[in-house]
Amino acid sequence: MFEDTLRAFGRYALMVREVVRDFTTRGVNIEELSKQILKIGRDSLPVVLLTAAFTGMVLALQTAYGLQRFGAKNYVGNIVGLALVRELGPVLTAVMLCGRVGAGIAAEIGSMVVTEQVDAIRALGANPINKLVTPRIAAAMLAVPALVVFCTLVGIFGGQLVAVYELNQTSHMYQRALYYTIMVRDILDAMIKSAVFGFLVVSIACFHGLSTQGGTAGVGRSTTAAVVTGSISVFISDFFVTKMLILLS
């Protein structure tokens, strides 16, 4: 099993290298890029916003419950804002993207493989990486940071609703805490992490889609593998990217 994992990682690394080479030599078709950005944003935005709203509300409740033991309930806005901007916003968005968009990409490309549409692309002299993979990865690296911005704003607003109507704080107090806590560096770090997560989720989904074997049953296995592997990669890479950003700060 370990050897199979190493071989799969080697094939994934080769695909990523080919994507980088394709992007630097041929670029990306703007029309296809725009189409994929719209698709990723449209498919993911509702579930991301819903998740963000209730995460912010629950985070505010739990934070207030813990801080009131020390008489520090007024710091709810500081903790909610910083947690959403630096950590929860990018991670939650990436996980939702993995389940919503990653699964769809793996199923779509996997279906093209089993119906020999990818072979037809090669037979016509075109490169499947250029047609199917590069535009999706580039679109994810642009769309995910935008989704994270919406996710963070909605999550912060959800926390504000709880702070005002459950914790008897004023909107001014909550927003002032955000103003004095969140710095530009926090936002930049979140955007970098978002782009990395978008790259990982979509590239892994494309890889599993292109590796599909075994007909329609193989499409199901590839979709499941894309979601599981993508989610795990988000959490693992989150630690290393966060560590790197802290060292560079």
Side-chain angles (χ1 to χ4, degrees):
M1 181 177 178
F2 182 71
E3 293 179 355
D4 293 339
T5 303
L6 286 179
R7 284 195 292 268
F9 182 79
R11 294 196 304 270
Y12 171 74
L14 289 175
M15 188 200 75
V16 170
R17 186 177 68 178
E18 190 171 352
V19 168
V20 173
R21 183 172 57 191
D22 178 64
F23 181 79
T24 54
T25 56
R26 302 182 185 180
V28 183
N29 184 280
I30 299 301
E31 183 178 353
E32 183 65 21
L33 178 64
S34 303
K35 176 183 174 182
Q36 293 299 328
I37 290 176
L38 180 61
K39 184 176 180 180
I40 291 174
R42 181 188 60 206
D43 290 351
S44 304
L45 190 59
V47 66
V48 166
L49 295 184
L50 184 64
T51 303
F54 284 95
T55 299
M57 295 168 70
V58 171
L59 184 61
L61 279 176
Q62 293 283 27
T63 303
Y65 176 76
L67 292 179
Q68 71 179 358
R69 305 175 187 177
F70 311 100
K73 195 167 66 173
N74 291 337
Y75 291 96
V76 168
N78 305 67
I79 297 176
V80 170
L82 196 60
L84 283 169
V85 170
R86 290 197 61 89
E87 191 64 32
L88 291 179
V91 171
L92 285 176
T93 302
V95 172
M96 293 299 104
L97 182 82
C98 194
R100 186 66 182 86
V101 174
I105 290 175
E108 180 182 358
I109 296 179
S111 298
M112 295 178 67
V113 170
V114 299
T115 56
E116 300 182 350
Q117 295 181 52
V118 174
D119 293 334
I121 292 175
R122 293 192 180 98
L124 292 172
N127 186 354
I129 296 295
N130 179 261
K131 297 294 183 181
L132 302 176
V133 180
T134 304
R136 287 173 168 83
I137 293 178
M141 295 181 69
L142 294 174
V144 175
L147 287 172
V148 168
V149 171
F150 288 110
C151 175
T152 303
L153 291 175
V154 171
I156 289 174
F157 179 73
Q160 180 175 325
L161 290 178
V162 171
V164 172
Y165 294 104
E166 292 287 337
L167 308 178
N168 297 320
Q169 293 186 5
T170 63
S171 298
H172 175 73
M173 180 186 299
Y174 184 86
Q175 294 169 7
R176 184 181 179 187
L178 295 173
Y179 178 78
Y180 286 107
T181 302
I182 300 173
M183 299 183 294
V184 175
R185 182 55 190 263
D186 299 325
I187 299 174
L188 292 177
D189 288 353
M191 296 298 99
I192 293 173
K193 292 171 69 172
S194 304
V196 172
F197 293 161
F199 172 84
L200 286 174
V201 168
V202 174
S203 63
I204 288 172
C206 292
F207 170 74
H208 282 290
L210 291 172
S211 303
T212 301
Q213 295 178 343
T216 55
V219 175
R221 289 193 296 268
S222 296
T223 303
T224 302
V227 174
V228 173
T229 309
S231 300
I232 293 174
S233 69
V234 167
F235 292 113
I236 293 175
S237 63
D238 182 38
F239 171 80
F240 292 102
V241 174
T242 301
K243 183 69 174 178
M244 181 190 68
L245 291 174
I246 291 175
L247 292 175
L248 293 176
S249 62

